Amino acid sequence: MTGASALAPCLRTVRAVVLDTDGVILDSAGVHAAAWKGAFDACLSAAGIRAPFDAVDDYRRYVDGRSREDGAMAFLNARGLDLPFGDPGDGPGTATVRAVMARKERLFTRRLREHGVDVWPGTVRLLHALAAQRVPCAAVSASRHAWDLLTSAGVLGLLRTVVDGNEADRLGLPGKPDPALFLEAARRLGFPPRDTAVVEDALAGVEAGRRGGFGLVIGVDRTAGPTSAAELRGHGADVVVADPGELLTEEEDRGSAKGTSAAATSAKGTSANRRSG
């Protein structure tokens, strides 16, 4: 007979945890990807480029985890489109980078109004288990919507702090793969990076965790593609799981544990032994 969920071995030595928002806590990455597809496809069509934006591969490679500006420019440059950056007042369109961003924003907010976003249940279970062990948690996001979405999803109370796109703008923090967002979150939690774990689904975010010198970088492979787990590891993940719920075990009444995922178990001690640079 099982009791409360306990942390997997790889998390038992960390003192704080920083989680990405879109794709890790909230099931919102697909909403972002669909909005970007609408914005980018209109831009590509206007330029006479027939190959559309791929909402899985292109989103993961160029956009996921990055600021809107960095993601938009990365994809457009990859397709050979050197658009002027534009002005802050540019409306939704295809002529400037800011116009493409505005189109994405309009599509995204429309989808939010129509459908909302859900939380990932496994992540919520992990947040409750971390709270039970008094391990403070923070959320980071390149999105300016993160605080409102976390509030409406009912998980803000499980987080000590949130560093989102609005905070990044206010503080002048560069976007991922620069580790600035994660470092600011760890600073607010009161622990150095070496004692803090990062949980990320984006390649840019995993790379940011590695660059920041975090003691444990956990990649979340939501796509389960043929090379996606290897790509997360290649960008710096110590552990790769399909869902953060795999970072829990089910404790028996007498204190033993079972059901730990192979990925989580194999990472025991990784944070102490990895990285030479």
Side-chain angles (χ1 to χ4, degrees):
M1 191 169 181
T2 60
S5 295
L7 301 177
C10 65
L11 283 176
R12 292 177 189 170
T13 58
V14 302
R15 302 173 68 190
V17 177
V18 180
L19 304 95
D20 179 53
T21 300
D22 299 300
V24 174
I25 300 176
L26 301 178
D27 188 7
S28 50
V31 183
H32 281 288
W36 277 118
K37 180 172 176 59
F40 283 139
D41 283 356
C43 186
L44 294 170
S45 178
I49 299 174
R50 300 184 63 182
F53 175 80
D54 188 296
V56 177
D57 291 338
D58 287 335
Y59 179 75
R60 180 178 174 83
R61 183 174 300 276
Y62 299 111
V63 180
D64 192 17
R66 301 177 186 269
S67 69
R68 286 187 299 174
E69 292 85 352
D70 291 346
M73 289 190 293
F75 174 73
L76 293 172
N77 289 340
R79 291 299 182 92
L81 291 177
D82 186 18
L83 298 183
F85 192 69
D87 300 313
D90 287 354
T94 61
T96 68
V97 174
R98 286 190 182 274
V100 175
M101 290 161 47
R103 186 181 184 93
K104 182 267 176 180
E105 181 72 5
R106 183 173 69 180
L107 293 171
F108 181 74
T109 54
R110 179 187 300 167
R111 288 175 180 271
L112 284 183
R113 288 195 303 269
E114 293 174 352
H115 305 292
V117 295
D118 296 321
V119 296
W120 288 103
T123 306
V124 175
R125 292 196 301 273
L126 175 63
L127 287 170
H128 279 290
L130 289 165
Q133 295 296 319
R134 299 185 179 181
V135 178
C137 296
V140 302
S141 176
S143 172
R144 295 171 174 84
H145 300 280
W147 187 280
D148 291 337
L149 292 177
L150 290 165
T151 300
S152 63
V155 295
L156 193 62
L158 294 170
L159 302 165
R160 181 78 58 85
T161 188
V162 177
V163 183
D164 64 1
N166 294 310
E167 283 292 276
D169 285 347
R170 183 180 69 84
L171 297 171
L173 302 177
K176 306 168 191 174
D178 191 285
L181 288 173
F182 289 130
L183 293 172
E184 174 63 16
R187 185 192 68 79
R188 295 184 184 188
L189 293 176
F191 293 99
R194 67 177 179 273
D195 294 330
T196 304
V198 164
V199 186
E200 251 287 2
D201 69 314
L203 298 177
V206 167
E207 183 177 338
R210 180 174 181 84
R211 286 190 189 182
F214 285 83
L216 177 67
V217 180
I218 299 169
V220 179
D221 182 14
R222 298 287 191 195
T223 62
T227 63
S228 53
E231 289 174 348
L232 287 167
R233 292 189 183 94
H235 280 74
D238 300 304
V239 180
V240 175
V241 294
D243 181 84
E246 295 178 19
L247 298 166
L248 297 172
T249 67
E250 293 300 319
E251 275 195 335
E252 293 187 331
D253 291 341
R254 301 181 78 178
S256 63
K258 63 181 180 180
T260 309
S261 72
T265 304
S266 65
K268 186 175 183 180
T270 309
S271 60
N273 298 321
R274 75 180 182 94
R275 287 196 198 96
S276 57

